Amino acid sequence: MLFFTYSLLLTVCKPYLNRVIEKRLESGKEDPLRLGERKGMASVSRPNGDIIWIHTASVGEALSALPLIDFLLENYGTYNILITSGTITSANLLSERLPKNVIHQYVPIDHKPWVQHFINYWNPKLALFVESELWPNIINELSLNNIPIGLINARLSDNSFKKWKSYSLLTKSLFIKLSFVIAQSEEYSDKYAKLGVKNTYHSGNLKFLSPALPVDQEFLQQLEKETQQTHPRSIWVACSTHENEEIMASKIHTSLAETHKNLLTIIVPRHPNRSQDIQDCLKSLGYNIACRSKNESIKEDTQIYLLDTLGEMGTVLQLSSIAYIGKSLLNHGGHNPLEPAKLGCAVIFGNHMENFEDIKKDMLANTSAIEVTSQEELTLIIDKLLTNEAYKNLQITNATAYANSQKDSLDQINNVIKNYLNR
């Protein structure tokens, strides 16, 4: 009854859904050439044979799915792999990183007819959802078609757990349809069991198995020439920044430049489509910036380098050795701290790392990252890392060791999913 009511409401609101899509298109959040995929219409032909469908919400989940995809191709080579995501950024990233025989589509919006069309067309043998994104109509239609549903690399914050518990009827009717959950920890596994999932397991975090971000050696050599040969620059990177964090980074630059005359601040916005707004803002504040998308080189008087392109953050992390994690101080949630750790950076994040709570706790316990609670604290820590080489090297050593500490997650996941693939 609950699924019927939910589907009915979305059907009644279909004109509103179309308007939402139009608004997202206008704001650059949808691909105009692939809008049909959001309504369940495939843009490529379905290959012959069985399909494993993997759904990832956005960039972080897509990256964590890459080692799983490689594992499935190696061990279940007769299966085709379909991966879906919901953002342009993730689609662009996957287009660069996926093996050629893996299909990417945008996930359909959770409107019953669109979902039915998608599932009837692709007809997967197994559906795997990465981390936490569950849509009622998608789950219900998979269940009605007797397609096993697994939630893998799952996590569940205390707040989300309380919310699910407060909607007990909806929660029970949704979670009972999941065939299994493989959580990142025993704590998360227990939470899902309490929500009604019959089969729960726990393994390590797939994010540990993601390959290091790619480094463009030619670009790196260019940056090294521009920043190290004539007057060596001290460099720190603000990774995956969101609105207002670029202003914060610029203020930190001003504070630190008083004692670090050769300082260069590199800003990597999470959404490069914000680039022009960021440029206009920083220039209005008087900063001399160089912009990667315009192929502007870093000169002696460049204060801020704006890396407003996709897929190149690994290169500037390799160049630097100090990284601040965006969306962790002025915004809530944070981004993946393992990415700079794998590339030899001292890692700093704010006190809002809800998206990576377990990793945050572990890194702090292992002295593998530094937590700050204000812009002032962040400024002081960057200053210390720039000044104290021994302290910086210790942080780098600990961060790198932690990022490479989990190796058996895929084996544990395979022990579960093979039972459903062999049916």
Side-chain angles (χ1 to χ4, degrees):
M1 183 64 184
L2 287 171
F3 285 99
F4 174 78
T5 304
Y6 173 81
S7 297
L8 180 61
L9 284 172
L10 286 181
T11 301
V12 171
C13 295
K14 185 178 178 181
Y16 173 74
L17 287 178
N18 285 321
R19 182 56 185 151
V20 168
I21 294 174
E22 291 173 6
K23 285 281 189 182
R24 288 178 58 82
L25 184 61
E26 291 168 4
S27 62
K29 294 180 179 180
E30 296 288 350
D31 185 337
L33 301 179
R34 298 175 63 180
L35 270 183
E37 294 175 32
R38 297 294 265 153
K39 298 181 180 181
M41 294 179 284
S43 60
V44 296
S45 298
R46 186 196 190 282
N48 295 325
D50 290 328
I51 285 178
I52 300 172
W53 172 28
I54 301 171
H55 174 61
T56 63
S58 190
V59 171
E61 295 82 3
L63 283 172
S64 65
L66 292 176
L68 173 64
I69 289 172
D70 290 338
F71 181 86
L72 291 173
L73 290 173
E74 181 179 348
N75 292 276
Y76 300 94
T78 59
Y79 288 85
N80 301 288
I81 307 294
L82 166 70
I83 183 168
T84 58
S85 63
T87 66
I88 289 179
T89 306
S90 61
N92 290 338
L93 179 143
L94 288 169
S95 70
E96 297 174 357
R97 308 269 187 96
L98 284 177
K100 291 183 178 180
N101 55 338
V102 175
I103 300 167
H104 174 267
Q105 296 280 276
Y106 284 104
V107 69
I109 292 171
D110 201 42
H111 177 45
K112 186 174 180 178
W114 298 345
V115 170
Q116 287 177 326
H117 194 280
F118 176 90
I119 292 174
N120 289 338
Y121 182 82
W122 293 105
N123 187 28
K125 174 90 170 183
L126 172 66
L128 300 174
F129 294 80
V130 179
E131 292 203 16
S132 60
E133 184 162 282
L134 299 173
W135 293 100
N137 275 328
I138 290 178
I139 297 300
N140 193 48
E141 291 302 318
L142 287 169
S143 179
L144 290 173
N145 284 274
N146 296 313
I147 297 169
I149 310 160
L151 181 61
I152 63 172
N153 212 40
R155 56 188 173 86
L156 195 63
S157 68
D158 290 338
N159 286 338
S160 295
F161 178 67
K162 290 174 183 176
K163 287 178 182 177
W164 280 117
K165 287 285 285 183
S166 66
Y167 299 109
S168 58
L169 287 177
L170 174 61
T171 298
K172 192 170 292 185
S173 62
L174 179 67
F175 283 93
I176 200 171
K177 296 180 186 298
L178 297 181
S179 306
F180 61 88
V181 167
I182 306 174
Q184 294 177 12
S185 69
E186 187 174 1
E187 176 190 354
Y188 290 152
S189 177
D190 290 342
K191 287 178 179 177
Y192 279 105
K194 290 175 182 176
L195 293 176
V197 179
K198 294 179 180 178
N199 302 303
T200 61
Y201 312 87
H202 63 274
S203 66
N205 191 331
L206 282 179
K207 284 185 168 64
F208 282 84
L209 303 180
S210 299
L213 295 177
V215 175
D216 184 327
Q217 292 299 326
E218 183 178 347
F219 182 32
L220 178 61
Q221 289 174 9
Q222 172 193 326
L223 292 174
E224 289 174 338
K225 182 178 180 180
E226 293 172 358
T227 61
Q228 303 303 323
Q229 287 193 356
T230 307
H231 298 288
R233 308 289 297 266
S234 298
I235 303 170
W236 74 283
V237 182
C239 306
S240 300
T241 57
H242 291 251
E243 190 173 1
N244 294 324
E245 287 185 302
E246 295 85 16
I247 295 176
M248 179 185 73
S250 69
K251 290 180 178 178
I252 291 172
H253 178 94
T254 298
S255 298
L256 293 173
E258 294 178 8
T259 52
H260 301 277
K261 303 297 184 183
N262 62 345
L263 183 67
L264 176 68
T265 295
I266 299 178
I267 296 176
V268 187
R270 182 68 169 183
H271 303 290
N273 60 353
R274 296 179 51 241
S275 174
Q276 193 59 55
D277 290 339
I278 297 169
Q279 293 177 59
D280 293 342
C281 176
L282 295 179
K283 287 179 179 178
S284 72
L285 294 172
Y287 290 99
N288 191 339
I289 70 172
C291 187
R292 168 61 171 164
S293 65
K294 297 178 180 178
N295 289 318
E296 295 172 342
S297 59
I298 299 171
K299 300 177 180 175
E300 287 186 31
D301 62 348
T302 301
Q303 297 165 295
I304 296 173
Y305 186 59
L306 184 63
L307 189 76
D308 56 342
T309 52
L310 287 170
E312 294 190 314
M313 187 165 73
T315 304
V316 295
L317 289 174
Q318 186 80 82
L319 177 74
S320 178
S321 54
I322 301 170
Y324 161 74
I325 306 300
K327 204 181 181 183
S328 67
L329 191 56
L330 301 187
N331 301 278
H332 290 193
H335 291 294
N336 189 354
L338 298 176
E339 292 176 344
K342 287 187 176 183
L343 286 168
C345 287
V347 178
I348 318 164
F349 45 64
N351 55 333
H352 294 290
M353 286 286 288
E354 291 85 356
N355 294 340
F356 297 87
E357 192 66 31
D358 283 351
I359 291 178
K360 165 195 164 179
K361 291 177 181 177
D362 283 350
M363 291 190 81
L364 293 175
N366 288 279
T367 325
S368 302
I370 306 161
E371 183 179 48
V372 296
T373 60
S374 67
Q375 177 182 317
E376 291 72 25
E377 281 188 31
L378 178 55
T379 304
L380 291 172
I381 286 297
I382 295 172
D383 181 51
K384 184 176 181 179
L385 290 166
L386 290 171
T387 306
N388 190 329
E389 193 75 13
Y391 176 67
K392 182 181 72 174
N393 289 338
L394 176 63
Q395 290 294 325
I396 291 171
T397 299
N398 291 348
T400 305
Y402 178 76
N404 294 305
S405 63
Q406 292 189 21
K407 301 294 183 183
D408 61 350
S409 299
L410 288 175
D411 290 335
Q412 295 180 58
I413 290 173
N414 183 51
N415 289 336
V416 178
I417 68 172
K418 66 183 179 182
N419 295 322
Y420 295 92
L421 292 176
N422 291 334
R423 286 181 177 179

